[in-house]
Amino acid sequence: MTLHSLRPLSRPDNLKNQARAAQSLARKIYLAALVGAGCWVLFLVFGPMIFMEANGMVLEDEEVVSPSFSAQLLTISVRPGDKVAAGDQIGKVLSTQMIDLISDLTSRKGQFDVRKAQIDARLSAIDAMLPVAQQRIKHSGAAYAVVDQAMARGYSTTTRLLEATRDRFEAEREVASLRAEQAGLTSERASVLSNLVRLQEAVDAAQRSYRDGAIISPVAGTLGAHVATPGTVLSPGAAGKIAEIYHGKQFILAYLPTNRIYAADPGQTVVITDGFKRQVGRIEAVGNITDQLPAEFQSAFRTIERQQLARISIEDGGAFPLLAKIRVTTPLAPSNVITSAPEAIVSAVVSSSKWLIAAFAGDRNPAPEYGMLGIRLAARETPLEPREKAQRK
């Protein structure tokens, strides 16, 4: 019995002539997916170093409203996002510390006012008494001379001469005492006046700072998202913040990675987008300082990151809402090219349609502003034939 193989044996002499089986579509899709995933991972790792893909936030100049003293917030008359003007009252506080301070300063100023009045009264009395005392010196001196001459002739006694001497001494002592008191009171008056000026300045400063508890907006702008509620106990500094007021022109505070390869120089043009709207910006300055990324930009799978700060100006300041998250890219960044591709295609189709409609309408210079594929053309005039020129003449 002869055994035959169920599978035909391949001949080794004709292997090169046998056609290979084509790869299946699923395998091609699988390989393409692997390549795409690898490219995506490489872009995630090295993309931020090569292309500008920076996070940022829309900001304005910030003014923090907080009291310079301990107080309790009684009322608040604004809400987050409200517009305020410079000088508007946004709330009212009560501070026993400032009330006690103003009361103490006013009391001390009153004491110095009383002392100044006493000094002025005493100086007026001295000015009135001093001429009389000086006149007494003259009279006592003349009496002493007469008694001295009489005693020399034997018409007076030693007791009378001693009385005349005592009167003269008392008169001179009175004048000297008045003049010394006058000089002392004059010096004290100058010191009292200086203290009164300083106390008045302190009272004015305390009253200007307290304003009877009114909280005034220092600038015109927009209130931030956090406003203190009535009943809050406020302390000086950041802990006593009532509200933030954003004012001035909008700008972008961008966070650039420090291990970047691309250039970020002042004056460079960038593209700012929130995922829907796009604006052109310009780098104003790149600070030589890093800061911790805000919580909304931190990754849950990484350590806390710190990146370099950059300030970017916006052409249209009202395009994005205040405190909005945005992305800052360069015009040639992959994300920007992919995002702007549909818009460019639509613009090219619209421009080409205008050009074709004008051409079919028989316009000699069809749609001079736009050419095929949306390319802007310069206005050109078609030269006239010689016969047309003659007919026009």
Side-chain angles (χ1 to χ4, degrees):
M1 179 182 291
T2 304
L3 297 177
H4 297 281
S5 176
L6 298 178
R7 182 177 181 182
L9 298 176
S10 58
R11 296 175 55 183
D13 58 340
N14 62 351
L15 289 177
K16 294 182 180 180
N17 298 328
Q18 294 179 357
R20 293 178 178 270
Q23 295 181 354
S24 64
L25 179 62
R27 187 175 181 181
K28 293 180 180 179
I29 294 175
Y30 174 72
L31 292 176
L34 285 180
V35 173
C39 294
W40 181 70
V41 171
L42 290 175
F43 180 77
L44 287 181
V45 176
F46 300 104
M49 303 179 187
I50 303 173
F51 303 103
M52 180 183 289
E53 294 283 347
N55 294 312
M57 188 172 292
V58 182
L59 296 176
E60 292 178 356
D61 294 332
E62 181 181 0
E63 185 77 21
V64 177
V65 181
S66 63
S68 57
F69 46 84
S70 299
Q72 182 180 11
L73 185 62
L74 297 180
T75 60
I76 191 76
S77 57
V78 293
R79 293 178 297 178
D82 286 352
K83 298 284 186 180
V84 293
D88 287 352
Q89 180 174 341
I90 63 176
K92 191 174 183 63
V93 298
L94 175 64
S95 174
T96 56
Q97 174 188 358
M98 291 302 296
I99 293 175
D100 292 341
L101 176 62
I102 294 173
S103 176
D104 180 61
L105 292 174
T106 305
S107 176
R108 293 174 59 186
K109 180 178 178 298
Q111 294 174 1
F112 277 99
D113 285 332
V114 172
R115 181 55 184 163
K116 175 179 175 296
Q118 292 175 350
I119 293 174
D120 291 340
R122 182 56 184 165
L123 288 175
S124 299
I126 292 174
D127 292 338
M129 293 173 60
L130 196 57
V132 178
Q134 291 173 348
Q135 190 68 24
R136 183 185 176 188
I137 289 178
K138 293 180 181 179
H139 292 165
S140 61
Y144 174 79
V146 172
V147 172
D148 187 36
Q149 292 178 2
M151 185 176 178
R153 295 177 183 179
Y155 298 114
S156 180
T157 62
T158 303
T159 303
R160 181 62 185 145
L161 182 61
L162 291 175
E163 291 178 354
T165 303
R166 187 182 302 108
D167 290 342
R168 182 182 178 184
F169 173 75
E170 290 179 355
E172 290 181 353
R173 185 179 62 180
E174 182 70 18
V175 171
S177 176
L178 290 174
R179 286 178 176 172
E181 185 180 3
Q182 185 182 39
L185 291 175
T186 302
S187 177
E188 184 181 0
R189 186 177 186 275
S191 178
V192 168
L193 290 176
S194 177
N195 290 332
L196 280 174
V197 171
R198 287 196 294 268
L199 283 171
Q200 185 62 48
E201 291 177 352
V203 170
D204 293 341
Q207 290 177 345
R208 284 195 305 268
S209 178
Y210 187 53
R211 299 189 191 94
D212 292 331
I215 301 298
I216 304 300
S217 171
V219 295
T222 305
L223 286 171
H226 302 286
V227 177
T229 57
T232 304
V233 177
L234 308 171
S235 58
K241 180 172 62 176
I242 297 177
E244 307 115 344
I245 299 179
Y246 295 94
H247 61 96
K249 187 178 179 181
Q250 284 189 354
F251 65 91
I252 303 298
L253 183 63
Y255 296 86
L256 305 178
T258 55
N259 58 346
R260 63 183 183 273
I261 300 176
Y262 60 84
D265 302 321
Q268 181 178 345
T269 301
V270 294
V271 178
I272 303 164
T273 177
D274 61 354
F276 179 72
K277 292 179 289 187
R278 307 167 64 79
Q279 286 291 323
V280 177
R282 192 174 300 276
I283 299 177
E284 289 186 353
V286 178
N288 191 22
I289 187 174
T290 63
D291 193 12
Q292 179 177 321
L293 284 175
E296 51 266 39
F297 296 143
Q298 293 284 357
S299 175
F301 304 100
R302 297 181 183 177
T303 58
I304 296 177
E305 294 185 74
R306 301 182 67 88
Q307 294 186 354
Q308 191 172 9
L309 300 179
R311 182 185 175 109
I312 301 173
S313 61
I314 318 174
E315 294 183 357
D316 185 5
F320 303 103
L322 190 62
L323 303 179
K325 291 173 54 178
I326 52 88
R327 295 281 293 176
V328 179
T329 64
T330 54
L332 297 180
S335 62
N336 183 53
V337 173
I338 294 173
T339 306
S340 59
E343 181 181 352
I345 293 173
V346 172
S347 177
V349 170
V350 172
S351 301
S352 302
S353 301
K354 292 181 179 180
W355 191 87
L356 292 174
I357 291 172
F360 283 119
D363 191 355
R364 186 175 293 274
N365 185 19
E369 290 188 356
Y370 299 94
M372 291 296 295
L373 299 181
I375 301 176
R376 187 178 180 87
L377 301 176
R380 296 191 299 268
E381 184 178 356
T382 304
L384 298 176
E385 296 293 336
R387 182 179 298 176
E388 294 179 356
K389 292 182 179 180
Q391 290 178 357
R392 288 193 176 184
K393 290 182 179 180

